[in-house]
C-alpha cells in the first residue's frame, strides 16, 4: 500500500490529487488578520501570508464497489485554478475512469464536480461512462435552479450535460452507498453539503469535504469567504469536530495538505489537526 492509501477496516481509501492552488490568506479569509494567522504559520507559505489548498478526490473501495467522492476542478479553464489531472491520477492509482461504479460528491461547488464531465471540443461528455452519479436531492434542486445555475458555471458544463448522457440518482440526506459508507448532512458551506462516514471492522472515519479548507480552522473555526451560510457552517464545524473526538474518527480532508489523512488532537485544551 502506498502513502496515499489508508484502510478503515475492510475499506480502502486512496487520495487522488487533481490540482492545487495558492492564494493570499486574506483573499480566502478576509476577516482574519495576519496576527491571527501567526500561531498557524507552520501551515502557511514561507512568507507567512499565503496558503495552499489541495484539491483531492478520494477513491473508496467498499463491498465490491469502486467509488469516487468529489471530482476536482476538471479541464474547463476556470479563472484562478490550473486544469486538473484526475483521470491520469486515477489511472496511476489502478482505477481508470471506466472502472468507477459510483461518482458521489460532498457538494456541488466547482472544485468538487469538475471532472463529472470532460470537455471534448465544444461538447461535455461524462468522464465516468459506466458510473451511477449520485447527487443529494436538496443540493441538486438548489444548484440547478436557473438563476443559481447561471452564477455557477460548473452546473452548466459539469452537471446538466449528464442529464441525458449518464445514470443519475438523487439521494436522501442519510443515503447508504454500501453497508460501510453512509452520508451525513453537514450544511452551511452549501445548503446540503454532506460528509461520508465510513465504518468497518470496528474502525471509523469521516470524509468531510469543505467543513474546513485549512488546518487552522480546526482550532479557530473560522469561515472562509466561500461558506454560503457562515454561521451555520461554523456550527457544523464545531459539531463535526466534536463527533470526530467522541467517536474517534480518522479524518479525510481533501483541501488539507495532500493526501489529507489525519487526526484531531488536543494540546492545552485546543484542537489541532495532525497529518498522518
Ligand atoms: Zn472545495
Amino acid at each position: 500500500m502506498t502513502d496515499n492509501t489508508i484502510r478503515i477496516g475492510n475499506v480502502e481509501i486512496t487520495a487522488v490529487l487533481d490540482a492545487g492552488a495558492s492564494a493570499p490568506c486574506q483573499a480566502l479569509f478576509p476577516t482574519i488578520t495576519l496576527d491571527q494567522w501567526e500561531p498557524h504559520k507552520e501551515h502557511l507559505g514561507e512568507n507567512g501570508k499565503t496558503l495552499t489548498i489541495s484539491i483531492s478526490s478520494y477513491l473508496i473501495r467498499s463491498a465490491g464497489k469502486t467509488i469516487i467522492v468529489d471530482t476536482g476542478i476538471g479541464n474547463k479553464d476556470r479563472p484562478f485554478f490550473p486544469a486538473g489531472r484526475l483521470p491520469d491520477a486515477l489511472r496511476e492509482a489502478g482505477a481508470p475512469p471506466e472502472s468507477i461504479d459510483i461518482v458521489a460528491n460532498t457538494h456541488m461547488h466547482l472544485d468538487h464536480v469538475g471532472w463529472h464531465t470532460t470537455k471534448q471540443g465544444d461538447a461535455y461528455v461524462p468522464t465516468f461512462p459506466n458510473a451511477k452519479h449520485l447527487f443529494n436531492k436538496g443540493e441538486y434542486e438548489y444548484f440547478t435552479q436557473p438563476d443559481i445555475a447561471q452564477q455557477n458555471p460548473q452546473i452548466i458544463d459539469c452537471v446538466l450535460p449528464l442529464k441525458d448522457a449518464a445514470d443519475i440518482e438523487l439521494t436522501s440526506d442519510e443515503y447508504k452507498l454500501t453497508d460501510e459508507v453512509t452520508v451525513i448532512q453537514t450544511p452551511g458551506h452549501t445548503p446540503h453539503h454532506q460528509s461520508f462516514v465510513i465504518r468497518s471492522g470496528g474502525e471509523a472515519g469521516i470524509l468531510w469535504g469543505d467543513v474546513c479548507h485549512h488546518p487552522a480552522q480546526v482550532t479557530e473555526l473560522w469561515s472562509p469567504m466561500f461558506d454560503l451560510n457562515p454561521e451555520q457552517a461554523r456550527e457544523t464545524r464545531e459539531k463535526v469536530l466534536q463527533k470526530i473526538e467522541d467517536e474517534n474518527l480518522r479524518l479525510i480532508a481533501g483541501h488539507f495538505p495532500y493526501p489529507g489523512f489525519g487526526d484531531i488532537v488536543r494540546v492545552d485544551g485546543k484542537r489541532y489537526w495532525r497529518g498522518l
Side-chain angles (χ1 to χ4, degrees):
M1 219 175 301
T2 53
D3 285 350
N4 61 349
T5 297
I6 59 167
R7 295 192 79 93
I8 293 177
N10 297 319
V11 180
E12 192 179 286
I13 302 156
T14 298
V16 194
L17 187 66
D18 184 45
S22 290
C25 299
Q26 288 192 300
L28 272 59
F29 294 87
T31 61
I32 308 303
T33 65
L34 286 175
D35 284 349
Q36 289 172 283
W37 277 102
E38 179 66 21
H40 306 287
K41 64 178 181 206
E42 66 174 297
H43 296 301
L44 297 180
E46 275 174 27
N47 63 7
K49 296 177 186 170
T50 56
L51 48 80
T52 297
I53 300 272
S54 302
I55 302 177
S56 295
S57 301
Y58 292 94
L59 192 60
I60 302 179
R61 292 187 173 94
S62 163
K65 296 286 185 203
T66 304
I67 301 163
I68 183 136
V69 176
D70 291 332
T71 66
I73 194 71
N75 66 341
K76 313 295 190 310
D77 303 324
R78 304 286 188 225
F80 309 114
F81 289 100
R85 62 178 305 276
L86 183 66
D88 285 340
L90 282 171
R91 283 182 206 105
E92 288 158 16
E98 308 78 56
S99 72
I100 304 293
D101 299 309
I102 298 173
V103 178
N105 59 345
T106 53
H107 63 297
M108 289 172 69
H109 274 160
L110 82 179
D111 52 326
H112 296 262
V113 297
W115 282 106
H116 275 47
T117 62
T118 298
K119 188 176 182 187
Q120 283 183 0
D122 290 336
Y124 298 100
V125 300
T127 306
F128 306 98
N130 302 313
K132 179 185 280 191
H133 296 72
L134 308 180
F135 296 101
N136 174 278
K137 185 169 186 290
E139 183 85 351
Y140 186 92
E141 287 173 351
Y142 172 78
F143 273 100
T144 57
Q145 297 173 85
D147 54 329
I148 304 289
Q150 280 311 322
Q151 298 157 23
N152 285 271
Q154 75 277 14
I155 304 304
I156 308 291
D157 56 28
C158 299
V159 176
L160 296 180
L162 297 174
K163 248 182 162 178
D164 298 318
D167 184 6
I168 293 180
E169 183 177 339
L170 300 187
T171 59
S172 63
D173 287 352
E174 285 152 23
Y175 186 83
K176 256 181 175 329
L177 281 73
T178 68
D179 284 346
E180 298 164 319
V181 182
T182 308
V183 163
I184 63 165
Q185 292 303 297
T186 46
H189 181 61
T190 60
H192 294 268
H193 182 284
Q194 59 188 9
S195 299
F196 295 76
V197 174
I198 298 143
R199 291 188 196 280
S200 176
E203 298 178 334
I206 185 167
L207 188 167
W208 75 358
D210 290 9
V211 170
C212 290
H213 290 73
H214 188 273
Q217 291 174 274
V218 167
T219 313
E220 311 287 356
L221 304 180
W222 299 330
S223 268
M225 58 173 293
F226 330 104
D227 285 348
L228 295 184
N229 183 336
E231 205 169 305
Q232 188 184 32
R234 188 186 171 96
E235 270 169 36
T236 290
R237 207 166 284 131
E238 169 60 29
K239 263 191 221 162
V240 175
L241 285 162
Q242 192 60 50
K243 180 180 174 74
I244 290 171
E245 290 186 299
D246 292 347
E247 300 177 21
N248 194 23
L249 303 179
R250 177 130 285 167
L251 175 59
I252 303 159
H255 287 316
F256 283 20
Y258 178 81
F261 300 125
D263 292 308
I264 303 301
V265 297
R266 289 258 179 187
V267 178
D268 296 334
K270 284 188 179 180
R271 296 184 185 112
Y272 291 91
W273 177 72
R274 189 180 61 192
L276 289 192

